[in-house]
Amino acid sequence: MQIYQPLCGYAYNSDTLFLYHFALPLIKERSRALEIGSGSGILGLLCARDRGLELVMVEREREMAIYSEQNARINAIEAKVMERDFLSLQIGELAPFDLALSNPPFYHRNVLKSQNPSILAARYEENLPLKECLLQLKRFLKPRGSFIFCFDAKQSDRVFFELKEKGFNPETVRFVHPRITKEATLIMVQARLSSKSPLKVLPPLVVYEGEDYSSEAKSIFKAARTHSIKCQL
């Protein structure tokens, strides 16, 4: 899959590919899916490619919305792209979804911020606070709809609290560790509305073995089959 990205703006990284790999077994064929904050569109497009999704991508930054639309067209994947702030959507604008996907901004407001507008929008949680995102998402999911996303592993306690408080039950989680001896840096979560299923904690994903990528990380990159192309609109 060819993915066009801005020369100087936000670019996807391995976190998105790991989230795609985590999400795929949890997605039914032909599901109706919403991607929140699509950026270049890579997460939703990969899942749509492999699961035949009816995909809607919402992206508030005009430049990135154009990339999402262009990447869908180039890769011959049908997708609707909305240049909107997800939090501004009103009930009735979109039909209910089976699931939502997101690699949301989760950097804390006190972290030193980039001056690049697209990086600023993609990285810092103040642009899409988790609490507000969950409240809004409940309006657009079907009664037992799922939310599949990733977040800063150090904020896992808050993630679980916010999910439970907003009526989402975490069903599946997996932690990502840069090395087997290092703390987790990322948590990947599948949560469902109106669910009472017990939590399943999958074995950790370890990114590096020695100086090279781990065999699992390599297999994920191979399955994604992405080719990034930097360009200017």
Side-chain angles (χ1 to χ4, degrees):
M1 178 180 287
Q2 292 184 342
I3 299 293
Y4 286 82
Q5 302 190 88
L7 283 171
C8 302
Y10 179 78
Y12 76 85
N13 56 30
S14 58
D15 288 356
T16 305
L17 300 182
F18 297 151
L19 182 59
Y20 146 74
H21 177 262
F22 171 80
L24 212 57
L26 304 169
I27 299 174
K28 293 181 180 179
E29 293 279 348
R30 307 297 174 187
S31 294
R32 178 170 165 79
L34 169 69
E35 183 177 6
I36 303 169
S38 60
S40 64
I42 182 171
L43 176 60
L45 293 175
L46 282 171
C47 292
R49 180 195 69 185
D50 292 355
R51 287 291 182 266
L53 301 180
E54 180 186 346
L55 178 63
V56 176
M57 298 188 282
V58 177
E59 171 56 55
R60 76 176 195 178
E61 300 297 316
R62 178 170 178 76
E63 180 184 29
M64 299 312 296
I66 293 172
Y67 278 108
S68 285
E69 197 165 47
Q70 176 175 288
N71 286 326
R73 184 175 63 256
I74 288 170
N75 290 286
I77 296 173
E78 286 192 27
K80 178 180 180 181
V81 180
M82 298 181 68
E83 184 191 332
R84 292 284 298 279
D85 182 339
F86 173 65
L87 298 180
S88 74
L89 292 177
Q90 301 297 313
I91 292 179
E93 289 191 73
L94 294 170
F97 293 89
D98 299 298
L99 71 141
L101 302 160
S102 187
N103 181 354
F106 53 69
Y107 284 15
H108 194 272
R109 67 171 63 248
N110 294 329
V111 174
L112 184 64
K113 294 182 175 64
S114 168
Q115 298 304 306
N116 184 293
S118 70
I119 294 176
L120 184 70
R123 288 185 176 173
Y124 301 96
E125 193 192 350
E126 63 194 66
N127 296 296
L128 184 66
L130 179 61
K131 178 179 179 179
E132 285 77 2
C133 178
L134 293 173
L135 284 170
Q136 175 75 327
L137 180 56
K138 287 180 70 173
R139 307 166 76 191
F140 295 98
L141 283 179
K142 293 179 181 179
R144 287 184 56 79
S146 287
F147 184 30
I148 303 173
F149 67 105
C150 60
F151 219 79
D152 177 11
K154 291 182 175 62
Q155 300 187 57
S156 297
D157 57 337
R158 184 167 72 88
V159 169
F160 290 134
F161 173 81
E162 296 290 2
L163 286 169
K164 286 287 190 179
E165 189 178 62
K166 306 306 179 296
F168 287 85
N169 182 47
E171 290 190 346
T172 312
V173 302
R174 191 178 194 192
F175 289 92
V176 179
H177 297 249
R179 300 181 187 278
I180 194 63
T181 56
K182 298 293 185 181
E183 294 181 1
T185 54
L186 193 74
I187 182 173
M188 301 183 291
V189 182
Q190 179 240 351
R192 189 186 301 274
L193 289 172
S194 308
S195 165
K196 295 182 180 179
S197 297
L199 177 65
K200 180 188 295 184
V201 182
L202 301 178
L205 169 56
V206 179
V207 181
Y208 288 99
E209 294 172 352
E211 299 303 315
D212 199 3
Y213 283 113
S214 67
S215 56
E216 184 175 14
K218 289 178 180 177
S219 71
I220 292 171
F221 301 151
K222 184 177 180 180
R225 306 191 308 276
T226 57
H227 175 56
S228 177
I229 303 170
K230 294 278 190 173
C231 68
Q232 189 166 353
L233 294 177

